[in-house]
């Protein structure tokens, strides 16, 4: 709905003035200053309100004169009524019958009789003014029909029958007219040569309603004013040139009409003019783009304000329309309906609630509502089941139908009827199966006899196989299906997709109900649905939402919260954000997009707020921070760091994991250690590492351990280890250790993960992997890597040889192609092992600092440990065992022997000698 709609009005520019419509004394004689005319079916549309200093002054004087005259006449009329009341008081005091007031002859009665003449004139005046009011044709008419062929030129466009010419200005509200006139005045006072949509934008910003709209958009007004001021000089020319209307200006006037017509508005208002400015003028779009406002945002906020305006008007509209309906809600106008006391006991009248204004508005579901009317009108199954996931708005669609029924904006067969919601829970509550069946049949019989009822049953699957009261099983759905078939009752029901497939589809009820799938709203539709619902949240918490907050709620909840559905999950995010804003900022504060991002970030553990200066420094220096705990392997560290920066800057493909990497190399060179360091440094804690030892998944049946047991097997419904781990920790590092040992079917499973970023478990839940860093390690081709690197071959050449040859013996090409990069870890030499030994001893020192003791190893001791812990085949893996045996064990003996005290320093020397250095005594 945010995109620009197709043109409904065909424009024709005057061939003489080329559509600019010069006003005043120099106006074009061919078009009479109209400039551009439009044709919509048989209607000819034009702008017929002259705008120049003379006409503006003339209208101003006439308006003041009319206001003055009407005010004086109203005052005189009120004086006449007051004179009559005073005369009646005097008659009452003197005991004269009040009906003899007409016999009195004095100044008060003379004033009263003359006021009757004034009253008659005022009634005539206001009736004439009311008759002048014109409204935009209703869109329900599907456009104006009857034209033989659309006009193709200015001359043919002028050929219309009498009564089919419409002045666009008559279809504008008073505020919209004022905005148009202010735009001309601004251009004239600025000595510009043409009035353009940019001038109209300047005029619109002077109205409080538009100011509020831009506040909701989060526009920085100082910067916006500076940008508008900078764009205006293009229209400046030397004094003396005639002021004309730019062709884009007329385009904006017609576009505003189209916008109002397509949205079924009665008049063109300020919001439609704003949308028209944006859609017709590239200059306006560029100005707003620089303050981060795009066309979709303007459309959606305009729809937001339109909804608020309609919500205020709907209450009055429904009240006026319901005056034509029978006062007793169970009776139709023909007085043929019968009372339904039993049905009333177990149901709720939705049309009654709609009439009182208690039902929430239904937006973005026009297609679904139209489809309901179509199914009811068709000759086949005339009962409907709305099938959709929880929280997507099935009940709201039904509420929308109820509201249209109250306004009688429905097909004829649905007019003058009630939409009644039958409660299954109340039917079966605390009774036996036979009593529940009796209640249901009684309700259905009353509804059928009444002939003015359409039933609504929420979650109809609950009626299948009901066994209330501990008695034998009773299928209430069978009784409902039989009643719908035999009595001609119409019903709207709902069901969840799984319940429909399991209980309803193959049941007799499934043969009676026409299935209608309800999809989750997305994009602008979801945004506009939320705009209609945030009013209640704002009133509850005394805060207000910016447009960015609503757009972010839809975007972030849709991307990161996969257990629930739009719009419900976005509403929950907005509610939590409102609570946070109230607690942190106080009443009357604005909920921004950053507040919403922080809420979703806390719910998911994914950093979503704007990058702070501190985090920016951390990201830019990520390699250095990793190298504080990781020795060498420059390529691997660089690739991982770059992928994390792309993800945080939102420059990656959000449909795939953050990065897919394959680490190749001998054991003990740091493949697994690098994954642990990344999880600890970037994710904040090492617990955000999901590690799978793929040697445990060598059997085909191991798939069940990852995804969960299928239906019919023990453990079904509990979920799998992999899917549950990622579902609860969506922002994590997934480590697939020794992946070459996994069964081929397991590798096929990860093809989907790396390509689509999602996986479906055995229960049917879709698990999101798009915020996962996926790292697979493998010891495949280790002899080749060791041989080539020993021969002095570079790491890049080694990788190229492996990818084109030996590595394909272990993995299929399509599996290797899913990785963003294959990283070869070169074998470690003695210098690298010495650095690793120093890092490991630093870890030991950190643990000792918690006890108040420091560790100082000598360089000779580090070299000795590195030599003892180095193995050309196993890399640095034996080093940790050596440090445990020679360092940890010796220090543990000292601690248990009571030899160590706080502030002591342990000196580690060759041969595993441990010397304790006592601190210097204080004076």
């Amino acid at each position: 709905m945010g995109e620009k709609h197709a043109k409904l009005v065909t424009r024709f520019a005057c061939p003489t003035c080329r559509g600019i419509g010069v006003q005043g004394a120099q106006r074009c004689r061919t078009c009479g200053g109209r400039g551009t005319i439009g044709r919509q079916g048989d209607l000819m549309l034009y702008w017929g309100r002259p705008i120049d200093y003379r006409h503006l002054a003339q209208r101003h004087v006439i308006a003041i004169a009319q206001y003055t005259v009407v005010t004086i006449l109203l005052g005189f009329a009120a004086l006449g009524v007051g004179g009559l009341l005073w005369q009646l008081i005097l008659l009452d005091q003197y005991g004269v019958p009040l009906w003899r007031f007409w016999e009195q002859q004095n100044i008060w009665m003379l004033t009263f009789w003359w006021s009757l003449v004034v009253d008659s004139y005022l009634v005539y005046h206001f009736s004439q003014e009311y008759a002048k009011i014109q409204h935009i044709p209703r869109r329900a008419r599907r456009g104006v029909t009857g034209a033989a062929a659309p006009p193709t030129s200015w001359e043919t466009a002028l050929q219309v029958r009498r009564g089919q010419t419409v002045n666009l200005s008559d279809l504008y509200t008073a505020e919209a007219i004022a905005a148009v006139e202010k735009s001309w005045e601004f251009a004239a006072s600025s000595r510009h040569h043409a009035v353009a949509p940019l001038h109209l934008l300047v005029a619109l910003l002077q109205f409080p309603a538009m100011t509020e709209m831009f506040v909701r958009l989060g526009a920085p007004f100082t910067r916006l004013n500076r940008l508008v001021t900078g764009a205006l000089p293009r229209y400046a020319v030397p004094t003396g040139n005639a002021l004309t209307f730019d062709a884009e200006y007329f385009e904006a006037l017609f576009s505003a009409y189209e916008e109002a017509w397509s949205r079924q508005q009665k008049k063109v208002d300020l919001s439609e003019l704003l949308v028209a400015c944006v859609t017709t003028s590239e200059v306006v779009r560029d100005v707003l783009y620089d303050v981060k406002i795009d066309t979709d945002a303007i459309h959606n906020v305009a729809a937001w304000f339109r909804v608020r305006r309609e919500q205020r008007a709907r209450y009055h509209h429904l009240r006026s329309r319901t005056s034509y309906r029978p006062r007793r809600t169970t009776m139709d106008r023909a007085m043929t309906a019968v009372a339904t006391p039993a049905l009333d006991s177990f149901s709720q009248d939705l049309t009654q609630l709609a009439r009182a204004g208690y039902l929430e508005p239904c937006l973005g579901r026009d297609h679904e509502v139209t489809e309901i009317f179509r199914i009811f009108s068709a000759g086949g199954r005339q009962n409907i089941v709305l099938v959709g996931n929880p929280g997507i708005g099935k009940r709201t669609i039904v509420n929308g139908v109820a509201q249209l029924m109250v306004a009688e904006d429905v097909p004829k067969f649905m007019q003058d009827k009630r939409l009644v919601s039958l409660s299954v829970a109340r039917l079966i509550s605390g009774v036996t199966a036979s009593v529940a069946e009796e209640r249901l049949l009684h309700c259905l019989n009353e509804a059928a006899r009444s002939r003015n009822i359409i039933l609504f049953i929420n979650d109809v699957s609950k009626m299948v196989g009901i066994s209330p009261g501990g008695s034998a099983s009773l299928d209430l759905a069978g009784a409902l299906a039989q009643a719908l078939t035999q009595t001609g009752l119409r019903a709207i029901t709902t069901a969840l997709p799984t319940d429909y497939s399991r209980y309803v589809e193959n049941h007799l009820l499934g043969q009676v109900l026409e299935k209608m799938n309800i999809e989750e709203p997305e994009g602008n539709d979801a945004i506009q649905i939320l705009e209609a619902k945030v009013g209640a949240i704002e009133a509850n918490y005394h805060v207000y939402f910016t447009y960015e907050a609503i757009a972010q709620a839809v975007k972030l909840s849709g991307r990161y919260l996969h257990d629930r559905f739009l719009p419900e999950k976005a509403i929950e995010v907005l509610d939590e954000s409102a609570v946070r804003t109230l607690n942190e900022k106080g009443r009357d504060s604005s909920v921004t997009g950053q507040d919403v991002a922080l809420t979703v970030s806390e719910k998911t553990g994914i950093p979503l707020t704007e990058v702070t200066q501190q985090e920016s420094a951390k990201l830019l220096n990520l390699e250095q921070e990793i190298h504080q705990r990781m020795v060498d392997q420059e390529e691997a560290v660089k690739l991982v760091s770059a992928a994390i920066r792309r993800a945080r800057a939102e420059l990656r493909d959000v449909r795939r994991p953050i990065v897919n990497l394959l680490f190749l190399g001998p054991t003990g060179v740091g493949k697994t250690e690098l994954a642990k360091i990344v999880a600890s440094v970037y994710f904040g804690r090492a617990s955000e590492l999901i590690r799978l030892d793929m040697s445990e998944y060598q059997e085909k049946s191991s798939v069940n351990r990852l995804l969960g047991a299928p239906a019919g097997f023990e453990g079904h419904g509990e979920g799998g280890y992999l899917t549950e781990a990622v579902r609860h920790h969506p922002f994590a590092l997934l480590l697939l250790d020794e992946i070459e040992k996994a069964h081929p079917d397991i590798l096929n499973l990860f093809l989907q993960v790396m390509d689509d970023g999602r996986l479906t478990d055995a229960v049917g839940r879709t698990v999101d992997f798009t915020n996962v860093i996926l790292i697979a390690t493998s010891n495949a081709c280790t002899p080749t890597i060791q041989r080539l690197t020993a021969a002095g071959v570079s790491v890049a050449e080694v990788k190229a040889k492996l990818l084109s040859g030996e590595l394909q013996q272990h993995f299929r090409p399509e599996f290797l192609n899913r990785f963003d990069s294959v990283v070869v870890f070169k074998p470690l030499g003695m210098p690298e092992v010495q650095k690793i030994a120093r890092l490991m001893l630093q870890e030991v020192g950190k643990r000792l600092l918690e006890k108040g003791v420091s560790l100082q190893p000598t360089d000779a001791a580090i070299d000795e440990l590195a030599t003892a812990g180095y193995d050309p085949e196993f890399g640095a893996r034996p080093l940790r065992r050596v440090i445990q045996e020679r360092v940890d064990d010796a220090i543990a003996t000292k601690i248990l022997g009571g030899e160590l005290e706080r502030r002591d320093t342990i000196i580690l020397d060759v041969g595993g000698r441990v010397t304790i250095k006592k601190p210097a005594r204080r004076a």
Side-chain angles (χ1 to χ4, degrees), residues 490-509:
R490 285 189 173 94
I492 303 175
T493 65
T494 67
L496 300 178
T498 53
D499 291 341
Y500 177 80
S501 301
R502 184 177 301 177
Y503 303 116
V504 180
E505 187 173 19
N506 298 320
H507 189 274
L508 177 62
L509 190 59

Side-chain angles (χ1 to χ4, degrees), residues 18 107 134 232 242 339 379 453 464 482 549 613 643-644 716 794 819:
R18 298 181 180 179
I107 187 62
Q134 296 186 35
L232 283 172
I453 290 177
V464 179
Q482 185 176 5
Q613 186 174 0
I644 292 174
H716 174 67
S794 67
F819 288 101

Side-chain angles (χ1 to χ4, degrees), residues 4 16 36 54 90 160 192 203 256 297 337 414 419 437 495 506 515 548 621 658 662 676 696 722 787 840:
K4 182 181 177 181
T16 303
T36 301
R54 180 173 66 85
L90 292 177
V160 293
H192 292 168
M414 293 183 66
L419 183 59
E437 180 183 25
N506 298 320
K515 181 184 179 183
E548 182 192 18
N621 298 286
I658 294 175
L662 175 60
K676 293 178 179 179
E696 300 177 2
L722 171 63
R787 175 172 52 81
M840 289 184 175

Side-chain angles (χ1 to χ4, degrees), residues 187-492:
S189 63
S190 302
R191 299 182 180 275
H192 292 168
H193 73 276
V195 188
L198 186 61
H199 298 94
L200 188 54
L201 175 62
V202 173
L204 289 171
L205 289 173
Q206 300 177 32
F207 290 86
M210 291 296 98
T211 302
E212 183 184 356
M213 182 177 291
F214 277 89
V215 168
R216 295 281 188 173
L217 285 165
F221 281 92
T222 303
R223 177 169 169 75
L224 179 60
N225 289 332
R226 186 167 62 249
L227 291 170
V228 171
T229 303
L232 283 172
R234 70 185 65 200
Y235 302 106
V237 294
T239 306
N241 290 24
L243 178 61
T244 64
F245 285 97
D246 191 270
E248 282 188 347
Y249 194 88
F250 279 113
E251 178 72 15
L253 297 179
F254 281 99
S255 183
Y257 165 81
E258 289 178 330
E259 178 73 13
W261 186 88
S262 64
R263 309 303 179 198
Q264 302 188 50
Q265 302 299 297
K266 293 182 178 180
K267 292 275 190 177
V268 178
D269 207 350
L270 297 176
S271 58
E272 285 77 38
L273 276 177
L274 178 61
V275 171
C277 285
V278 175
T279 55
T280 58
S281 173
E282 185 176 356
V283 176
V284 174
R285 287 196 296 272
D286 289 343
V287 168
L288 296 180
Y289 181 80
D290 288 339
V291 291
K292 300 181 180 180
I293 299 176
D294 58 17
T295 305
D296 276 351
I298 292 293
H299 274 276
N300 288 330
V301 173
W304 187 0
F305 278 67
R306 189 182 304 119
V307 167
R308 292 173 56 188
R309 188 169 63 242
E310 289 175 353
Q311 285 177 330
R312 287 192 297 266
R314 181 180 292 113
Y315 177 80
H316 303 289
H317 174 68
L318 294 178
R319 288 286 186 178
S320 63
R321 293 300 298 266
T322 54
S323 62
Y324 298 101
R325 294 175 64 89
R327 292 296 178 183
R328 295 181 60 190
T329 59
T330 59
M331 190 64 64
D332 57 8
R333 281 192 291 271
M335 304 299 287
T336 58
V338 298
T340 56
L343 179 61
D344 295 343
S345 301
F346 303 105
S347 65
Q348 193 173 37
D349 192 334
L350 298 182
T351 47
Q352 178 76 1
L353 295 176
R355 183 163 43 248
Y358 290 130
L359 298 184
E360 59 186 358
C362 177
L363 293 178
R365 295 295 193 178
D366 291 345
H367 172 74
E368 288 80 359
V369 172
T370 302
E371 183 66 10
I372 289 175
F373 294 158
R374 186 197 65 79
I375 294 174
F376 274 159
S377 303
R381 289 180 286 188
Q382 296 182 332
N383 301 286
I384 303 168
V385 55
L386 307 179
V387 180
N389 289 304
I392 64 173
K394 300 186 294 294
R395 183 63 183 261
T396 303
I397 294 174
V398 177
N399 291 344
V401 173
Q403 292 168 345
L404 292 175
M405 289 176 66
V406 169
E408 299 200 340
D409 189 11
V410 292
K412 187 175 181 179
F413 70 88
M414 293 183 66
Q415 295 179 3
D416 195 24
K417 285 186 169 54
R418 301 162 55 201
L419 183 59
V420 177
S421 175
L422 181 62
S423 172
V424 178
R426 291 165 67 180
L427 276 175
I428 66 176
S429 177
V431 297
T432 62
S434 58
V435 174
E437 180 183 25
E438 182 181 352
R439 286 178 173 180
L440 175 63
L441 293 177
H442 198 175
C443 292
L444 295 176
N445 288 334
E446 286 187 349
R449 289 201 318 271
S450 180
R451 294 186 298 176
N452 72 332
I453 290 177
I454 297 175
L455 287 178
F456 167 62
I457 303 175
N458 191 37
D459 202 357
V460 73
S461 60
K462 293 181 178 179
M463 300 184 71
V464 179
I466 290 178
S467 300
S471 301
S473 177
L474 172 65
D475 193 357
L476 293 182
L480 175 63
Q482 185 176 5
L484 294 177
T485 304
Q486 296 178 354
T487 63
L489 266 176
R490 285 189 173 94
I492 303 175

